[in-house]
Amino acid sequence: MDVVLLIKAAIMGVVEGLTEFLPISSTGHLILAGSLLGFHDERAKVFEIAIQTGAIFAVIIVYWQRLRATLLGLASQPTAQRFTLNVVIGCLPAVVLGLLLGKAIKAHLFTPTVVATAFILGAFVILWAERRQQASVRVHDLDDMTPMDALKVGLAQCFGLIPGTSRSGSTIIGGMLFGLSRKVATDFSFFLGIPILIGAGAYSLYKARDMLSMADLPLFAVGLLFAFLSAWVCIRWLLRYVASHSFVPFAWYRIAFGALILLTAHFGWVDWKA
């Protein structure tokens, strides 16, 4: 295996892990990184989706006690049953829309204008959500969420299908707008990511099974490892951050990144359709 290619896989893994759970869109950053590294062929597209699984393993590690308690309590504990139901309800809208519209989204929405617009509009939604957060919080604990709360967050997650919007951003900010505290919205976003990202990774690998071979295993292993390590660091940092900070800095970052997209697209430096 080419050492340079493995280094590129490591860099892409770090980008995925650091951006997947922040409200800044991992897709936009992976497109940029892949273009700069010359890593954007068909195999690279499968790789970008597959390494999300490495990032989600970090979530499983960080939340292992809660996940274990939920699994053990499914048969008898109403709290575990309600939590599991909420996760299922929250995942369904994005799964259904993703299967129905996935090809159309890839064909028509991966353009500089759409990605930049999603970044910038998402920033203003974050600023709006933060301004009304203190007055609108009614759910302060994950176990106090209702199935309707989960459905609302699940519908918000659908906006994450638009390139540049951010799945995490859609769920976290959507949850805040629907009355969840910043901490609860962040936690629930992580839990929704477990089935969504594992499912997306497995489905992508299955569809590309004829394109891949055992020779690709080191490439994917390196990407998964670095996505896991960087995501683990990012998640632990984010959980501390949301305890006492707002998402306003991420909004200004999104505006700056949206401007960067338009600039690089205008001069042809990045192929945002990659």
Side-chain angles (χ1 to χ4, degrees):
M1 175 62 67
D2 186 351
V3 174
V4 174
L5 191 59
L6 293 179
I7 293 174
K8 291 180 180 180
I11 294 172
M12 294 291 283
V14 170
V15 172
E16 161 62 25
L18 292 180
T19 59
E20 180 61 51
F21 302 110
L22 300 178
I24 56 175
S25 176
S26 60
T27 300
H29 289 80
L30 286 171
I31 292 174
L32 178 62
S35 182
L36 294 175
L37 293 170
F39 189 64
H40 48 67
D41 57 11
E42 290 301 316
R43 182 177 58 168
K45 294 177 183 178
V46 177
F47 171 85
E48 290 174 7
I49 299 175
I51 61 174
Q52 293 176 341
T53 307
I56 212 63
F57 280 143
V59 175
I60 293 174
I61 295 297
V62 171
Y63 286 96
W64 174 245
Q65 290 186 339
R66 175 62 189 254
L67 291 170
R68 181 176 181 275
T70 298
L71 291 173
L72 294 176
L74 269 179
S76 59
Q77 296 180 8
T79 300
Q81 294 166 354
R82 184 171 62 252
F83 172 72
T84 303
L85 177 63
N86 285 342
V87 171
V88 172
I89 291 173
C91 288
L92 283 177
V95 170
V96 173
L97 281 184
L99 291 174
L100 292 176
L101 303 177
K103 290 184 179 179
I105 289 171
K106 290 181 179 179
H108 301 293
L109 296 185
F110 276 82
T111 67
T113 302
V114 171
V115 174
T117 300
F119 261 94
I120 294 170
L121 288 180
F124 287 111
V125 173
I126 291 174
L127 293 173
W128 175 46
E130 285 291 357
R131 288 193 64 178
R132 67 190 299 270
Q133 168 72 2
Q134 295 301 320
S136 63
V137 175
R138 57 178 178 78
V139 180
H140 296 272
D141 190 283
L142 201 60
D143 291 327
D144 292 332
M145 286 184 62
T146 67
M148 183 55 67
D149 291 325
L151 179 59
K152 290 177 181 178
V153 176
L155 292 172
Q157 183 171 229
C158 294
F159 286 99
L161 296 171
I162 302 172
T165 302
S166 168
R167 187 205 67 83
S168 295
S170 298
T171 51
I172 293 173
I173 304 305
M176 289 169 58
L177 289 173
F178 294 133
L180 277 59
S181 71
R182 190 180 296 110
K183 176 66 166 57
V184 172
T186 302
D187 285 341
F188 194 60
S189 174
F190 285 139
F191 286 115
L192 287 183
I194 295 175
I196 290 288
L197 298 183
I198 289 179
Y203 183 62
S204 177
L205 288 173
Y206 174 76
K207 289 199 304 180
R209 62 190 183 280
D210 295 332
M211 182 196 313
L212 304 175
S213 66
M214 289 300 294
D216 295 310
L217 186 60
L219 176 75
F220 281 75
V222 168
L224 285 166
L225 175 62
F226 278 86
F228 166 78
L229 294 174
S230 55
W232 182 78
V233 172
C234 182
I235 292 167
R236 292 179 64 85
W237 172 82
L238 183 61
L239 291 176
R240 292 193 299 270
Y241 178 88
V242 298
S244 57
H245 298 81
S246 75
F247 290 114
V248 169
F250 294 107
W252 295 115
Y253 175 83
R254 289 178 67 105
I255 292 173
F257 198 87
L260 176 65
I261 292 171
L262 295 176
L263 181 67
T264 54
H266 176 73
F267 287 102
W269 298 336
V270 174
D271 181 9
W272 289 97
K273 294 183 180 181

